[in-house]
């Protein structure tokens, strides 16, 4: 269950999840959870594993349907909108890069779905590779990337189509300490520089504090 | 040069193990092929083939019906493959087994089932052939593609969806490209089966839709046009050889594909829409597999006046009724064909288990001793050759190869189970090899260190683990022999018909009573096949619960 979670400032919420409930068989994972995120705000959902943080992200993206509750984006309910029309980005914990495509093809995937012209896409891919610090990686195979590189490419792929809000599911888990700390700083800078509204799921208190404007605690059930 | 490799089998033991397979393949595969070529290379026959327009038409028909059968099988197969790979539900394992059922059924039974099911207007039509091919082969796609599908993380599609891809677009852009190696591999297997389809086409196609296989049989046995038939067989042998090579290449590419982790990727359906889809598809699979088989049984008990067991009684009480039979079928003894089939299946199973078992041991032993690994691969390939050859070509080759002195064995009843064993042995070897290869040689070393002689060590270690796959292989061999039609059709003699031969003959003759008896035999053959595979699998699973 989340704390009563409203934005710290007075900016209106662009994302608003209300009274979300979901159960898998006999196991209730989310029970009346609500979350508001304001424009440009970076919120961290902090909680132990099994507290339903990732499940909440999946419900917001529409990959999973809640048993009860509603999700609003810019004041309109998106409950009946399929995932691909929601314009909500998700960075998966294990990246989920398309293994049969190059780095550039991964990043431009969302742009192709938006039918952006090729020159436009090429420019945007180069721009994002520069943002995540991997310029010139266009033609690499994603299966050859290191752990840290794959995380950056996954972030670039999610940012490329400029979604209304970016959800990050434990994006820095599974890295060694040094790389983790380095990427934490980078991610915080990067999200701010790109004025991204984001929800970050993590079980690491320091990570949450370093990246987020506001930390919301979720308790395991 | 040492006569004995470290704790392995001696060179002479390996040679002795390989000998039966080499002799068998040499005599019953290589010699018939040589005999075919010898018979075929006459300018006269060659001219006939080149100028024969009907042959070109038949080749064209064979190719396009195989192509359409393959495409349809892949499309139809992807749906249950997705269902079984993505969802966990009550009865999933049963459904997986059920989908495999048509594939283990003899082709003649599949043909008979669709003859029973389809309305008369579709008899002898291309549609009937295509539908039967899809039914028969769909398991290849479900197994092949579903296996890979269950390893793909579902979140890959999730990633595509959050990036703006519709479900259909995500399927096209992500899932299908990643499944491509498995789709290509199963498609080439299905194409191979459909291209060389014989039993199904003989029963459903009628004379108006011959494939190359049927044409070879027709020319060789009916028209006495052995030269042309031989050339067509050889052309087909070459085409199939190329197809098999291509298939082998795809398989090796498949192995080099992206690293996949086995994950628990199946989940329960959520919400009424998903649950409804899963339930509806499951029911559709049960209906699709069950209906033709139910129709087969229904036709065996159908008479002009309702339903009765007349045909069943006629088949099983035949000995008493024999005097009252019409002369047209006096040569055909339905119950006798059952016993003939059982006898042949026993011989073929014993033969292929012995030959295949020994050959597998030899192949593994050779591959473990660096210098001879190439020999091992050659032996492996040699044993596989009959798999890449159509059954009709094998039967025809054996017939040609053993019809002239000094090898005039045409009349020898043993020729039929020998042909069956030729087709079954590759399966025994394929089932055995992975197990034998997985044996850690150190186990044998340990046994040796404890004082076991090499033979004793081998018996204690290798023999033990061989039992389970040998039983599986024996089940396959028996089922293959029981259902074998293509090769048998060349070697069968009056009064020695096997079940598939008797079924085809009964269904080809006019008369509702004879047809009903054909359906009785087809039902019996279907049950027998399940029984054989089930029995061997049952015995096997008693000792090994891993599968």
């Amino acid at each position: 269950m989340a704390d009563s979670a409203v934005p710290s400032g007075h900016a209106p919420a662009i994302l608003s999840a209300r009274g979300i409930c979901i159960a898998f068989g006999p196991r209730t994972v989310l029970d009346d959870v609500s979350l508001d995120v304001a424009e440009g705000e970076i919120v961290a959902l902090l909680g132990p594993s099994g507290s339903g943080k990732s499940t909440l992200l999946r419900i917001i993206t529409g990959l999973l349907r809640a048993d009860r509750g509603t999700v609003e984006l810019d004041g309109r309910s998106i409950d009946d909108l399929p995932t691909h029309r929601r314009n909500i980005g998700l960075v998966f914990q294990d990246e989920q890069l398309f293994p049969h495509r190059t780095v550039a093809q991964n990043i431009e995937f969302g742009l192709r779905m938006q039918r952006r012209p090729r020159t436009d896409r090429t420019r945007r891919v180069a721009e994002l590779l520069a943002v995540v610090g991997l310029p010139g990686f266009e033609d690499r195979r994603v299966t050859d990337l290191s752990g840290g590189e794959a995380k950056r490419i996954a972030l670039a792929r999610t940012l490329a189509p400029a979604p209304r809000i970016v959800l990050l599911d434990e994006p820095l888990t599974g890295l060694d300490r040094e790389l983790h700390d380095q990427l934490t700083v980078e991610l915080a800078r990067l999200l701010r520089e790109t004025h991204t509204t984001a929800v970050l799921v993590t079980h690491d208190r320091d990570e949450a504090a370093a990246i987020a404007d506001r930390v919301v605690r979720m308790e395991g059930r | 040069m040492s006569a004995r490799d470290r704790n392995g089998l001696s060179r002479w033991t390996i040679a002795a193990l390989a000998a039966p397979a080499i002799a068998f393949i040499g005599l019953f595969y290589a010699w018939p092929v040589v005999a075919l070529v010898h018979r075929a290379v006459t300018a006269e026959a060659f001219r006939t083939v080149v100028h024969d327009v009907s042959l070109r038409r038949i080749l064209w028909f064979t190719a396009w019906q195989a192509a359409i059968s393959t495409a349809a099988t892949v499309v139809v197969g992807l749906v249950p493959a997705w269902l079984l790979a993505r969802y966990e539900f009550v009865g999933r394992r049963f459904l997986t087994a059920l989908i495999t059922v048509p594939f283990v059924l003899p082709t003649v039974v599949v043909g008979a089932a669709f003859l029973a099911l389809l309305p008369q207007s579709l008899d002898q039509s291309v549609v009937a052939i295509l539908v039967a091919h899809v039914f028969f082969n769909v398991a290849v796609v479900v197994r092949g593609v579903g296996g890979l599908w269950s390893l793909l993380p579902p979140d890959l599609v999730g990633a595509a969806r959050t990036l703006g891809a519709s479900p259909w677009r995500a399927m096209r852009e992500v899932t299908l490209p990643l499944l491509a190696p498995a789709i290509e591999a199963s498609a080439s297997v299905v194409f191979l089966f459909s291209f060389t389809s014989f039993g199904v086409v003989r029963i459903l196609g009628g004379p108006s839709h011959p494939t190359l296989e049927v044409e070879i049989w027709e020319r060789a046995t009916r028209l006495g046009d052995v030269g042309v038939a031989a050339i067509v067989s050889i052309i087909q042998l070459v085409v199939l050889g190329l197809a098999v090579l291509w298939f082998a290449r795809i398989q090796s590419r498949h192995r080099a594909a992206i690293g996949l982790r086995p994950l628990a990727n199946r989940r329960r359906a959520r919400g009424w829409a998903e649950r409804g889809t899963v339930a509806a598809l499951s029911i559709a699979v049960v209906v699709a597999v069950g209906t033709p088989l139910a129709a087969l049984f229904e036709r065996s008990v159908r008479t002009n006046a309702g339903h009765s067991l007349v045909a069943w009684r006629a088949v099983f009480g035949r000995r008493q009724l024999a005097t009252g039979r019409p002369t047209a079928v006096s040569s055909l003894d339905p119950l006798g064909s059952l016993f003939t089939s059982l006898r042949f299946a026993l011989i073929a199973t014993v033969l292929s288990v012995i030959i295949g078992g020994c050959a597998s041991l030899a192949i593994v032993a050779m591959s473990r001793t660096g210098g001879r690994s190439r020999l091992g691969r050659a032996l492996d390939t040699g044993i596989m050759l009959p798999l890449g050859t159509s059954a009709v070509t094998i039967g025809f080759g054996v017939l040609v190869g053993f019809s002239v002195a000094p090898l005039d064995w045409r009349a020898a009843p043993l020729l039929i189970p020998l042909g069956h064993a030729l087709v079954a042995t590759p399966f025994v070897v394929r089932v055995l090899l992975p197990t034998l290869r997985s044996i850690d040689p150190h186990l044998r070393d340990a046994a040796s260190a404890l004082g076991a002689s090499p033979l004793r060590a081998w018996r204690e270690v290798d023999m033990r683990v061989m039992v389970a796959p040998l039983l599986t292989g024996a089940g396959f061999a028996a089922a293959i022999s029981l259902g074998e039609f293509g090769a048998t059709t060349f070697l069968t003699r009056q009064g020695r018909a096997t079940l598939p031969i008797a079924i085809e003959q009964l269904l080809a003759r006019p008369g509702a009573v004879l047809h009903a008896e054909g359906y009785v035999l087809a039902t019996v053959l279907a049950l027998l096949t399940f029984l054989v595979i089930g029995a061997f699998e049952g015995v096997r699973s008693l000792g090994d619960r891993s599968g």
Side-chain angles (χ1 to χ4, degrees):
Chain A
M1 239 182 298
D3 301 350
S4 173
V6 286
S8 45
H10 36 266
I14 64 163
L15 178 82
S16 170
R18 309 225 159 272
I20 302 290
C21 301
I22 191 168
F24 296 103
R27 206 168 71 88
T28 302
V29 174
L30 295 173
D31 185 9
D32 194 22
V33 171
S34 296
L35 175 73
D36 281 331
V37 182
E39 177 96 55
E41 194 184 24
I42 300 171
V43 178
L45 289 178
L46 183 65
S49 59
S51 56
K53 312 179 298 280
S54 301
T55 306
L56 183 59
L57 294 195
R58 279 167 186 274
I59 290 171
I60 293 171
T61 57
L63 289 173
L64 202 60
R65 213 182 164 84
D67 296 333
R68 249 176 309 133
T70 180
V71 180
E72 287 177 4
L73 193 64
D74 291 319
R76 270 194 303 274
S77 163
I78 54 170
D79 293 333
D80 292 325
L81 218 54
T83 301
H84 63 284
R85 299 236 183 81
R86 290 193 179 193
N87 198 19
I88 297 176
L90 175 62
V91 178
F92 289 82
Q93 182 177 349
D94 39 9
E95 300 99 41
Q96 300 296 346
L97 295 175
F98 305 130
H100 57 302
R101 293 170 183 274
T102 63
V103 164
Q105 287 168 339
N106 263 276
I107 296 176
E108 69 167 2
F109 189 90
L111 303 170
R112 276 180 48 235
M113 297 305 117
Q114 293 177 347
R115 297 170 196 281
R116 300 264 284 272
R118 180 186 294 273
T119 49
D120 206 11
R121 298 198 308 252
T122 313
R123 206 183 50 234
R124 180 86 174 130
V125 168
E127 188 184 308
L128 276 156
L129 281 174
V131 167
V132 297
L134 296 173
F137 264 55
E138 277 91 345
D139 296 327
R140 298 276 191 106
R141 292 164 49 100
V142 295
T143 43
D144 295 340
L145 298 176
S146 73
E149 287 165 352
K151 300 265 181 212
R152 292 171 208 225
I153 299 302
L155 181 64
R157 181 177 70 174
T158 303
L159 293 176
R164 192 79 180 88
I165 181 166
V166 169
L167 313 178
L168 302 107
D169 189 0
E170 306 255 11
L172 302 178
T173 304
L175 298 171
D176 63 60
R177 194 72 231 167
E178 200 177 336
L179 188 57
H180 174 269
D181 293 349
Q182 183 197 338
L183 279 182
T184 305
V185 176
E186 246 179 74
L187 182 61
R189 175 184 58 80
L190 202 148
L191 290 175
R192 291 217 159 63
E193 276 176 7
T194 52
H195 308 290
T196 306
T197 309
V199 178
L200 168 84
V201 153
T202 178
H203 60 264
D204 182 333
R205 193 185 308 253
D206 298 335
E207 187 182 304
I211 298 174
D213 302 322
R214 178 163 61 95
V215 176
V216 175
R217 267 168 219 288
M218 291 180 80
E219 286 143 32
R221 288 186 60 92
Chain B
M1 202 165 96
S2 67
R4 174 173 295 159
D5 296 281
R6 197 174 57 101
N7 291 329
L9 303 167
S10 80
R11 219 189 316 163
W12 295 113
T13 317
I14 294 177
L17 285 170
I22 294 170
F24 186 59
I25 295 291
L27 190 56
F28 293 101
Y29 184 81
W31 163 243
V33 169
V34 170
L36 265 188
V37 173
H38 180 72
R39 279 300 278 274
V41 183
T42 67
E44 175 65 35
F46 207 74
R47 249 197 310 278
T48 319
V49 171
V50 171
H51 294 291
D52 195 327
V53 185
S54 73
L55 274 180
R56 241 171 291 160
R57 215 181 47 235
I58 290 164
L59 175 63
W60 169 237
F61 171 70
T62 310
W64 77 250
Q65 68 79 21
I68 293 181
S69 296
T70 306
T73 309
V74 168
V75 171
V76 171
L78 283 178
V79 178
W82 166 77
L83 177 72
L84 295 170
R86 279 289 173 253
Y87 289 101
E88 187 57 68
F89 51 92
V90 179
R92 188 179 63 80
R93 293 174 72 94
F94 168 76
L95 215 60
T96 310
L98 191 69
I99 283 179
T100 320
V101 161
F103 189 65
V104 303
L105 282 176
T107 52
V108 174
V109 172
V110 172
F114 278 92
L115 192 66
L117 176 71
L118 296 174
Q120 218 136 54
S121 58
L122 282 178
D123 277 6
Q124 313 208 337
S125 77
V126 186
V127 178
I129 296 177
L130 297 181
V131 173
H133 282 168
V134 171
F135 175 79
F136 182 68
N137 289 315
V138 86
V140 176
V141 176
V142 175
R143 286 276 161 128
V145 178
L148 182 56
W149 209 331
S150 63
L151 296 179
L152 291 185
D155 275 347
L156 277 174
V157 170
R161 302 273 282 118
T162 57
L163 290 167
S166 66
W168 171 235
R169 192 81 193 266
M171 174 76 142
R172 244 174 45 217
E173 298 264 357
V174 177
T175 311
L176 288 181
L178 289 173
L179 291 178
I183 293 176
E184 280 173 42
S186 25
S188 43
V189 172
V190 174
F191 185 84
L192 222 63
F193 285 152
S194 305
F195 192 82
T196 59
S197 174
F198 181 65
V200 166
V201 181
R202 273 278 295 279
I203 290 192
L204 289 175
S208 50
H209 292 292
T211 54
L212 274 187
E213 298 284 293
V214 175
E215 186 67 9
I216 292 169
W217 167 78
E218 186 88 31
R219 299 239 177 186
T221 63
R222 294 257 168 116
L223 307 175
D225 210 348
V226 176
V228 172
I231 288 186
V232 176
S233 302
I234 288 161
I235 291 172
Q236 205 193 36
L237 204 61
V238 172
V239 171
L240 287 183
L242 292 176
V244 169
L245 281 181
W246 184 61
F247 174 53
R249 240 197 62 210
I250 287 174
Q251 277 212 315
S252 62
R253 191 148 51 96
H254 186 93
R255 269 195 287 280
I258 42 165
L260 294 161
R261 299 155 288 178
L263 293 164
N265 283 330
R266 293 193 190 92
R267 60 179 184 83
R268 297 201 166 272
R270 288 183 60 82
W272 63 268
E274 245 183 27
R275 260 183 248 156
T277 309
V278 168
L281 286 176
S282 303
I283 292 168
V285 168
V286 172
V287 170
V289 175
T291 311
L293 296 179
L296 184 67
F297 176 73
E298 193 271 339
R299 285 295 291 268
S300 78
V301 295
R302 192 199 292 178
T303 62
N304 289 333
H307 292 95
S308 83
L309 290 175
V310 167
W312 285 82
R313 270 197 295 272
V315 167
F316 286 97
R318 179 153 197 97
R319 293 268 141 81
Q320 292 84 341
L321 294 171
T323 46
R325 305 307 292 180
T327 48
V329 279
S330 59
S331 64
L332 201 63
D333 174 5
L335 192 61
S337 72
L338 172 62
F339 291 116
T340 307
S341 267
L342 288 174
R343 208 165 52 237
F344 285 170
L346 182 69
I347 301 171
T349 306
V350 170
L351 271 176
S352 51
V353 164
I354 292 174
I355 293 169
C358 290
S360 307
L361 288 169
I363 290 167
V364 172
M366 286 193 247
S367 72
R368 290 233 163 105
T369 61
R372 285 197 287 268
S373 63
R374 195 172 285 175
L375 271 176
R377 270 201 299 279
L379 181 58
D380 191 3
T381 311
I383 291 171
M384 287 306 132
L385 281 175
L387 260 196
T389 313
S390 79
V392 163
T393 303
I394 287 179
F396 183 32
V398 170
L399 181 71
V400 170
F402 297 103
S403 58
V404 282
L407 294 173
D408 188 2
W409 295 345
R410 259 174 307 175
L414 206 59
L415 222 43
I416 293 174
L418 276 169
H420 293 179
L422 200 61
V423 184
T425 304
F427 286 89
V428 176
V429 172
R430 280 275 79 84
V431 174
L432 267 176
L433 276 184
T435 312
L436 288 179
R437 287 217 169 101
S438 70
I439 295 174
D440 187 348
H442 295 306
L443 275 179
R444 220 181 289 125
D445 293 352
S448 301
L450 291 169
S453 70
L455 205 64
R456 181 71 195 273
W458 174 82
R459 219 173 62 209
E460 293 290 333
V461 177
D462 296 40
M463 254 321 243
R464 290 278 158 85
V465 293
M466 272 179 79
V467 173
L470 262 183
L471 283 171
T472 305
F476 279 146
I480 287 165
S481 170
L482 283 173
E484 213 294 321
F485 181 63
T488 316
T489 199
F490 283 89
L491 307 172
T492 190
R493 291 290 169 273
Q494 279 204 350
R496 220 187 290 144
T498 60
L499 275 177
I501 299 286
I503 291 167
E504 196 277 334
Q505 289 188 359
L506 286 167
L507 292 178
R509 283 172 187 166
V513 180
L514 294 183
H515 285 183
E517 287 186 22
Y519 291 124
V520 170
L521 287 189
T523 309
V524 169
L525 181 52
L527 291 175
L528 212 54
T529 308
F530 297 148
L531 208 71
V532 159
I533 291 182
F536 281 103
E537 280 297 299
V539 173
R540 192 191 68 97
S541 64
L542 285 180
D544 157 48
R545 298 219 160 260
S546 64

